[in-house]
Amino acid sequence: MASTLTRTTTRLSPLLAALVLAGCASVAPDGLRSAVGEHTEGRLPSQATLADPSPTARAQAQQQIAAWLQQPVDADNAVRIALLNSPALEAQMAALGMQDAQRVQALTLPNPTLTLGRFVNGHEREIERQLSFGLVSLITLPWRARWQGWQMEQATLTAAQQVLLHAADTRRAWLRAVAAQQSLQTAQTMHEAAAAGGELARRMARVGNFSKLEQAQELRVQQEAAAHLARTRLNAALEREQLARLMGLWGPQAGFALPAALPPLPQAEALRGGEDAEATALRERLDLRALRRDLDTTAERHGFARVGAIFGDIGASYSRNTATERGTRHDDVTRGWELDIPLPIFDWGGAASGAARANLQRSAAQLRDTALRARSEARSHWQRYRTAYDLAQQQRSEVLPLAQFMQDEAVYRYNGMFISTWQLLAQARATAQAVATATEAQRDFWLAEVDLQLALTSTSPGATPTLATSAAPATTEQGH
Amino acid sequence: MQRRTFFTGAAAAVAATSVSRVAMAALPEPISQASADTAAPLLPPNGRPYHPVVTLNGWTTPWRMNAGVKEFHLVAEPVVREVAPGFFVNMWGYNGQSPGPTIEVVEGDRVRIFVTNRLPENTTIHWHGQRLPNGMDGVGGLNQPHIPPGKTYVYEFQARRPGTFMYHPHSDEMVQMAMGMMGLWITHPKGKHPLIADVQRDYAFLLSAYDVEPGAMTPRVNEMTDFNIWTFNSRAFPAITPLVARQNDRVRIRVGNLSMTNHPIHIHGHEFEVTGTDGGPTPKGSRWPEVTADVAVGQMRQVELIADEPGDWAFHCHKSHHTMGAMGHDVPTMIGIDHSGLVGKIQKIVPDYMLMGERGMGDMGAMQMPLPENTFPMMAGKGPFGAIEMGGMFTSFKVRQNLGAHDYRDPGWYQPPKGTTAYEWQGAPLASQAPRQTAPGKAPGAPSVRKPHTDAADHAHH
Ligand SMILES: [Cu+2]
């Protein structure tokens, strides 16, 4: 295409540079994965790579995934698998590739138009040949190439955000799945305690030590524990399913193992400080970078808008007309250039210019708005992170020891025949509930950590959820 | 645990007296007791002679003679009482202990009692059972102003009739008695009294009950019925001193009840007569022999017996829960429950779980298991043949030959003559199956349980 043009425009040498530029526009061979990778650098676990759709790479990736699935999947491996294996992410990357191709297409100059005419009158036959093309699109090619480049960078930044959000979603799903699995164990303990109490009550009623009502009261406890267990089991299955979906696993691979417990809470000294949160977010966030690019593009377009609007597309054409006298067969050839210039009589470009100005204002406002949100998110997610840590720490260092103390005291009271086996079991259930609540607090801290990372270095994690845990405060039911 | 320092304890208390001679005209120095052991009887150093009582796990306060008047000084104050080994209770008492010291006087004595209030609230003392001027009866508001904290009031009257009495507050009485404020008052007869025999041993104590949450230290003063600490003189078995007697001694036991329920006080191996109440000595014609005397709330009973059967005889309240230490009253009966397969399951959840009560609670007496702090086992005390399986209002009456007349020390376990102890049957075991009506949980001969039917044709279903 370009070569054809070169041949036909030998006399349009000033435009050569533009044509070279246009020739440079080519589709990125890796579908911009490496460009996305540059943006996600340092924001993902080491060696986390995006899927390469080539068959060899795909086979290699599957091997690597199979190797990772040999042992319990930790959070980083879950993210690595998700990036390599998630069809949703692959679809997003393919869309980015498509966008790239469209960009290249947009930068390609329109094909010249060849107009042929044959006119006959009594004595003459006229053949008209005209080769024309839009001059402006050629002249503006360098600018357009630049904007398209920026737009592509913007699209790449957006895609990188999608990758980071997918990684964050996977990490969250992993945390939820592991915590749900832990809660399931607790629910099993609680159910076993209630079942033992229920069975003991049944035996009590059988020999006449319990009335049917007293037995029923223990049976109710058992039923509630069974219902709780069923709900917890479902929740664990659903959370696990969500993780499998994000990691792109199905079939036998979906039977992956998870670690028995969430990672322990970090030491307080290792926590991220909140002082530089806003500055970090403004510096690092990809959504802000994308909007800044957008603003650049819009600003440059603003200057161009008036000219473009007034002159529209200046058409340039080369004509070679041959008039042949029928009688003499004498050819009369005329050659010449023709420029097609719209006259700015009605539209002086005011509307287009106004739209461009408004567009610029919109871009600037969007950037300011997003910066405002980024600052606010940096602050609020840091606060949530810090509070989640304090709550989890309180659970671990204060609430659980207290629950253990109460458990020990319940045993002492049982030893002294101050309380019954059922009251002891009720305390055991309360202790198990305290363990579940502590696990949830630990999970909430790590979830808050994921959101904070997003808010500081990647993109908006969405609405800030509160820290309410599903577990109601554990009450020690004193049996009868 | 048990420190039986009858004589040394009393000596220490008296030595601590050190009544300042120069201060005779002033307020008498209050004398305080630090030990919850039974003090030796206080032989009267002056005034009319009498045979002193022995206050179980208590003591008799010395006095000062002031121009022919016996002067005592009681200080109402918070104390910490060791109720059982290792079990300490925040109480209110007098002169270092709850109950306060026993006051012993002789019929006709003029008595002046200084009462200093070191409690955080008003108090008074009512002299339960005494004949005295109305203004000395100690009902706050009715007979006198309440004694404010920090103030000292003086009571003065004549001990007009011999007998067994007590003293306790009559100002916020509910709280102050729930906190252990009480004491004994013994008025000995002046010379021979036709209805009052001479005795060789004269024991006295009060019955009181507390509700202390296991692991806590202060009684719940609002409790009305569900007490878990049952005491003789604010002590629970095995911390109660035994009553000791030389064989053929005449023994008098004086019991007053300041708890909120009655206590049938029961002795083994002997029979006794009630020879007096807080109304005075009973006429001889009204006395009959028995082995249990119910002491109602607010009453005193004075019983007498001849200790003619050597041995270690149980002496206790006959309400069986009152011979138990702290225990839960909502614990269901576990007797006869098949625990097979369940203990392991429960231990998976509560590792320290131990099976208890499936054969009854007697095992508790032998078990050593960690309890909440500051509490004591439901049943404790070891005898020569094993666990005694008692707690609370229980002690023993120990009769021995060849004891010294003033020897109140615990003589140790009784050695029964050979062939006089219950023994295991060594012949052939019971051949036949024990006749049994039905399995536990089913009434004998009862039809299978039927739900009430409105349908007359329900017989078809059976
Ligand atoms: Cu009793």
Side-chain angles (χ1 to χ4, degrees), chain A residues 304-312 342-354:
Chain A
F304 176 76
R306 179 173 288 266
V307 183
I310 295 173
F311 296 103
L343 295 178
I345 294 171
F346 305 110
D347 180 2
W348 276 90
S353 167

PDB file of all heavy atoms in Angstrom, chain A residues 304-312 342-354:
ATOM      1  N   PHE A 304      -5.405  21.830  17.265  1.00  0.00           N
ATOM      2  CA  PHE A 304      -5.612  21.390  15.897  1.00  0.00           C
ATOM      3  C   PHE A 304      -7.064  21.538  15.450  1.00  0.00           C
ATOM      4  O   PHE A 304      -7.353  21.664  14.263  1.00  0.00           O
ATOM      5  CB  PHE A 304      -5.178  19.920  15.817  1.00  0.00           C
ATOM      6  CG  PHE A 304      -5.427  19.300  14.488  1.00  0.00           C
ATOM      7  CD1 PHE A 304      -4.592  19.605  13.408  1.00  0.00           C
ATOM      8  CD2 PHE A 304      -6.497  18.449  14.298  1.00  0.00           C
ATOM      9  CE1 PHE A 304      -4.838  19.041  12.186  1.00  0.00           C
ATOM     10  CE2 PHE A 304      -6.727  17.892  13.063  1.00  0.00           C
ATOM     11  CZ  PHE A 304      -5.900  18.177  12.003  1.00  0.00           C
ATOM     12  N   ALA A 305      -7.921  21.541  16.422  1.00  0.00           N
ATOM     13  CA  ALA A 305      -9.344  21.422  16.117  1.00  0.00           C
ATOM     14  C   ALA A 305      -9.825  22.506  15.157  1.00  0.00           C
ATOM     15  O   ALA A 305     -10.503  22.223  14.170  1.00  0.00           O
ATOM     16  CB  ALA A 305     -10.148  21.475  17.405  1.00  0.00           C
ATOM     17  N   ARG A 306      -9.397  23.787  15.420  1.00  0.00           N
ATOM     18  CA  ARG A 306      -9.910  24.894  14.607  1.00  0.00           C
ATOM     19  C   ARG A 306      -9.503  24.715  13.147  1.00  0.00           C
ATOM     20  O   ARG A 306     -10.335  24.739  12.238  1.00  0.00           O
ATOM     21  CB  ARG A 306      -9.387  26.212  15.152  1.00  0.00           C
ATOM     22  CG  ARG A 306      -9.837  27.425  14.366  1.00  0.00           C
ATOM     23  CD  ARG A 306      -9.399  28.671  15.093  1.00  0.00           C
ATOM     24  NE  ARG A 306     -10.178  28.906  16.294  1.00  0.00           N
ATOM     25  CZ  ARG A 306     -11.267  29.704  16.312  1.00  0.00           C
ATOM     26  NH1 ARG A 306     -11.686  30.277  15.223  1.00  0.00           N
ATOM     27  NH2 ARG A 306     -11.915  29.906  17.418  1.00  0.00           N
ATOM     28  N   VAL A 307      -8.226  24.478  12.952  1.00  0.00           N
ATOM     29  CA  VAL A 307      -7.700  24.316  11.596  1.00  0.00           C
ATOM     30  C   VAL A 307      -8.450  23.196  10.889  1.00  0.00           C
ATOM     31  O   VAL A 307      -8.977  23.365   9.789  1.00  0.00           O
ATOM     32  CB  VAL A 307      -6.199  23.989  11.652  1.00  0.00           C
ATOM     33  CG1 VAL A 307      -5.633  23.887  10.246  1.00  0.00           C
ATOM     34  CG2 VAL A 307      -5.474  25.036  12.471  1.00  0.00           C
ATOM     35  N   GLY A 308      -8.519  22.089  11.580  1.00  0.00           N
ATOM     36  CA  GLY A 308      -9.166  20.924  10.983  1.00  0.00           C
ATOM     37  C   GLY A 308     -10.601  21.222  10.633  1.00  0.00           C
ATOM     38  O   GLY A 308     -11.087  20.856   9.568  1.00  0.00           O
ATOM     39  N   ALA A 309     -11.261  21.931  11.530  1.00  0.00           N
ATOM     40  CA  ALA A 309     -12.682  22.183  11.307  1.00  0.00           C
ATOM     41  C   ALA A 309     -12.891  23.129  10.140  1.00  0.00           C
ATOM     42  O   ALA A 309     -13.802  22.957   9.337  1.00  0.00           O
ATOM     43  CB  ALA A 309     -13.295  22.757  12.585  1.00  0.00           C
ATOM     44  N   ILE A 310     -11.999  24.151  10.022  1.00  0.00           N
ATOM     45  CA  ILE A 310     -12.184  25.129   8.963  1.00  0.00           C
ATOM     46  C   ILE A 310     -11.899  24.510   7.605  1.00  0.00           C
ATOM     47  O   ILE A 310     -12.659  24.638   6.672  1.00  0.00           O
ATOM     48  CB  ILE A 310     -11.274  26.351   9.200  1.00  0.00           C
ATOM     49  CG1 ILE A 310     -11.710  27.079  10.478  1.00  0.00           C
ATOM     50  CG2 ILE A 310     -11.309  27.293   7.993  1.00  0.00           C
ATOM     51  CD1 ILE A 310     -10.783  28.170  10.887  1.00  0.00           C
ATOM     52  N   PHE A 311     -10.795  23.808   7.599  1.00  0.00           N
ATOM     53  CA  PHE A 311     -10.372  23.369   6.285  1.00  0.00           C
ATOM     54  C   PHE A 311     -10.830  21.970   5.943  1.00  0.00           C
ATOM     55  O   PHE A 311     -10.693  21.551   4.796  1.00  0.00           O
ATOM     56  CB  PHE A 311      -8.846  23.485   6.166  1.00  0.00           C
ATOM     57  CG  PHE A 311      -8.395  24.915   6.256  1.00  0.00           C
ATOM     58  CD1 PHE A 311      -7.820  25.419   7.412  1.00  0.00           C
ATOM     59  CD2 PHE A 311      -8.634  25.782   5.196  1.00  0.00           C
ATOM     60  CE1 PHE A 311      -7.442  26.742   7.491  1.00  0.00           C
ATOM     61  CE2 PHE A 311      -8.253  27.115   5.287  1.00  0.00           C
ATOM     62  CZ  PHE A 311      -7.655  27.611   6.431  1.00  0.00           C
ATOM     63  N   GLY A 312     -11.356  21.319   6.920  1.00  0.00           N
ATOM     64  CA  GLY A 312     -11.844  19.972   6.633  1.00  0.00           C
ATOM     65  C   GLY A 312     -10.729  19.167   6.016  1.00  0.00           C
ATOM     66  O   GLY A 312      -9.572  19.283   6.418  1.00  0.00           O
ATOM     67  N   PRO A 342     -12.391  23.421   1.003  1.00  0.00           N
ATOM     68  CA  PRO A 342     -13.672  23.910   1.495  1.00  0.00           C
ATOM     69  C   PRO A 342     -13.517  25.336   1.998  1.00  0.00           C
ATOM     70  O   PRO A 342     -12.476  25.687   2.592  1.00  0.00           O
ATOM     71  CB  PRO A 342     -14.012  22.944   2.621  1.00  0.00           C
ATOM     72  CG  PRO A 342     -12.718  22.339   3.021  1.00  0.00           C
ATOM     73  CD  PRO A 342     -11.764  22.458   1.882  1.00  0.00           C
ATOM     74  N   LEU A 343     -14.523  26.193   1.753  1.00  0.00           N
ATOM     75  CA  LEU A 343     -14.441  27.583   2.179  1.00  0.00           C
ATOM     76  C   LEU A 343     -15.150  27.772   3.503  1.00  0.00           C
ATOM     77  O   LEU A 343     -16.307  27.382   3.669  1.00  0.00           O
ATOM     78  CB  LEU A 343     -15.085  28.483   1.129  1.00  0.00           C
ATOM     79  CG  LEU A 343     -14.364  28.501  -0.219  1.00  0.00           C
ATOM     80  CD1 LEU A 343     -15.121  29.387  -1.197  1.00  0.00           C
ATOM     81  CD2 LEU A 343     -12.934  28.986  -0.070  1.00  0.00           C
ATOM     82  N   PRO A 344     -14.454  28.334   4.414  1.00  0.00           N
ATOM     83  CA  PRO A 344     -15.074  28.521   5.723  1.00  0.00           C
ATOM     84  C   PRO A 344     -16.033  29.700   5.730  1.00  0.00           C
ATOM     85  O   PRO A 344     -15.734  30.747   6.296  1.00  0.00           O
ATOM     86  CB  PRO A 344     -13.865  28.769   6.624  1.00  0.00           C
ATOM     87  CG  PRO A 344     -12.830  29.354   5.742  1.00  0.00           C
ATOM     88  CD  PRO A 344     -13.054  28.827   4.361  1.00  0.00           C
ATOM     89  N   ILE A 345     -17.152  29.554   5.101  1.00  0.00           N
ATOM     90  CA  ILE A 345     -18.121  30.632   5.043  1.00  0.00           C
ATOM     91  C   ILE A 345     -19.155  30.479   6.148  1.00  0.00           C
ATOM     92  O   ILE A 345     -19.444  31.409   6.888  1.00  0.00           O
ATOM     93  CB  ILE A 345     -18.812  30.645   3.674  1.00  0.00           C
ATOM     94  CG1 ILE A 345     -17.773  30.991   2.616  1.00  0.00           C
ATOM     95  CG2 ILE A 345     -19.974  31.656   3.656  1.00  0.00           C
ATOM     96  CD1 ILE A 345     -18.257  30.822   1.206  1.00  0.00           C
ATOM     97  N   PHE A 346     -19.623  29.288   6.254  1.00  0.00           N
ATOM     98  CA  PHE A 346     -20.660  29.059   7.283  1.00  0.00           C
ATOM     99  C   PHE A 346     -20.065  28.549   8.584  1.00  0.00           C
ATOM    100  O   PHE A 346     -20.391  29.031   9.637  1.00  0.00           O
ATOM    101  CB  PHE A 346     -21.704  28.073   6.753  1.00  0.00           C
ATOM    102  CG  PHE A 346     -22.287  28.527   5.443  1.00  0.00           C
ATOM    103  CD1 PHE A 346     -21.989  27.857   4.258  1.00  0.00           C
ATOM    104  CD2 PHE A 346     -23.093  29.656   5.401  1.00  0.00           C
ATOM    105  CE1 PHE A 346     -22.508  28.287   3.062  1.00  0.00           C
ATOM    106  CE2 PHE A 346     -23.616  30.089   4.194  1.00  0.00           C
ATOM    107  CZ  PHE A 346     -23.327  29.410   3.013  1.00  0.00           C
ATOM    108  N   ASP A 347     -19.200  27.555   8.446  1.00  0.00           N
ATOM    109  CA  ASP A 347     -18.608  26.981   9.668  1.00  0.00           C
ATOM    110  C   ASP A 347     -17.195  27.482   9.807  1.00  0.00           C
ATOM    111  O   ASP A 347     -16.303  27.086   9.042  1.00  0.00           O
ATOM    112  CB  ASP A 347     -18.637  25.428   9.568  1.00  0.00           C
ATOM    113  CG  ASP A 347     -18.045  24.778  10.808  1.00  0.00           C
ATOM    114  OD1 ASP A 347     -17.651  25.514  11.750  1.00  0.00           O
ATOM    115  OD2 ASP A 347     -17.980  23.534  10.860  1.00  0.00           O
ATOM    116  N   TRP A 348     -16.983  28.425  10.703  1.00  0.00           N
ATOM    117  CA  TRP A 348     -15.628  28.913  10.966  1.00  0.00           C
ATOM    118  C   TRP A 348     -14.936  28.068  12.042  1.00  0.00           C
ATOM    119  O   TRP A 348     -13.963  28.472  12.609  1.00  0.00           O
ATOM    120  CB  TRP A 348     -15.658  30.378  11.359  1.00  0.00           C
ATOM    121  CG  TRP A 348     -15.684  31.259  10.147  1.00  0.00           C
ATOM    122  CD1 TRP A 348     -16.776  31.710   9.498  1.00  0.00           C
ATOM    123  CD2 TRP A 348     -14.544  31.737   9.445  1.00  0.00           C
ATOM    124  NE1 TRP A 348     -16.422  32.450   8.425  1.00  0.00           N
ATOM    125  CE2 TRP A 348     -15.034  32.491   8.357  1.00  0.00           C
ATOM    126  CE3 TRP A 348     -13.150  31.601   9.627  1.00  0.00           C
ATOM    127  CZ2 TRP A 348     -14.174  33.099   7.440  1.00  0.00           C
ATOM    128  CZ3 TRP A 348     -12.299  32.229   8.721  1.00  0.00           C
ATOM    129  CH2 TRP A 348     -12.815  32.964   7.627  1.00  0.00           C
ATOM    130  N   GLY A 349     -15.494  26.941  12.341  1.00  0.00           N
ATOM    131  CA  GLY A 349     -14.835  26.013  13.292  1.00  0.00           C
ATOM    132  C   GLY A 349     -15.166  26.315  14.730  1.00  0.00           C
ATOM    133  O   GLY A 349     -14.604  25.716  15.634  1.00  0.00           O
ATOM    134  N   GLY A 350     -16.100  27.248  14.922  1.00  0.00           N
ATOM    135  CA  GLY A 350     -16.426  27.610  16.315  1.00  0.00           C
ATOM    136  C   GLY A 350     -16.951  26.427  17.109  1.00  0.00           C
ATOM    137  O   GLY A 350     -16.517  26.172  18.232  1.00  0.00           O
ATOM    138  N   ALA A 351     -17.854  25.669  16.506  1.00  0.00           N
ATOM    139  CA  ALA A 351     -18.470  24.543  17.216  1.00  0.00           C
ATOM    140  C   ALA A 351     -17.440  23.485  17.551  1.00  0.00           C
ATOM    141  O   ALA A 351     -17.332  23.024  18.697  1.00  0.00           O
ATOM    142  CB  ALA A 351     -19.591  23.950  16.368  1.00  0.00           C
ATOM    143  N   ALA A 352     -16.653  23.143  16.515  1.00  0.00           N
ATOM    144  CA  ALA A 352     -15.644  22.095  16.721  1.00  0.00           C
ATOM    145  C   ALA A 352     -14.663  22.540  17.791  1.00  0.00           C
ATOM    146  O   ALA A 352     -14.275  21.773  18.676  1.00  0.00           O
ATOM    147  CB  ALA A 352     -14.925  21.802  15.421  1.00  0.00           C
ATOM    148  N   SER A 353     -14.289  23.807  17.705  1.00  0.00           N
ATOM    149  CA  SER A 353     -13.322  24.319  18.665  1.00  0.00           C
ATOM    150  C   SER A 353     -13.917  24.292  20.072  1.00  0.00           C
ATOM    151  O   SER A 353     -13.248  23.936  21.036  1.00  0.00           O
ATOM    152  CB  SER A 353     -12.952  25.739  18.240  1.00  0.00           C
ATOM    153  OG  SER A 353     -12.267  26.365  19.269  1.00  0.00           O
ATOM    154  N   GLY A 354     -15.197  24.667  20.144  1.00  0.00           N
ATOM    155  CA  GLY A 354     -15.864  24.643  21.462  1.00  0.00           C
ATOM    156  C   GLY A 354     -15.901  23.233  22.026  1.00  0.00           C
ATOM    157  O   GLY A 354     -15.616  23.008  23.214  1.00  0.00           O
TER     158      GLY A 354
END
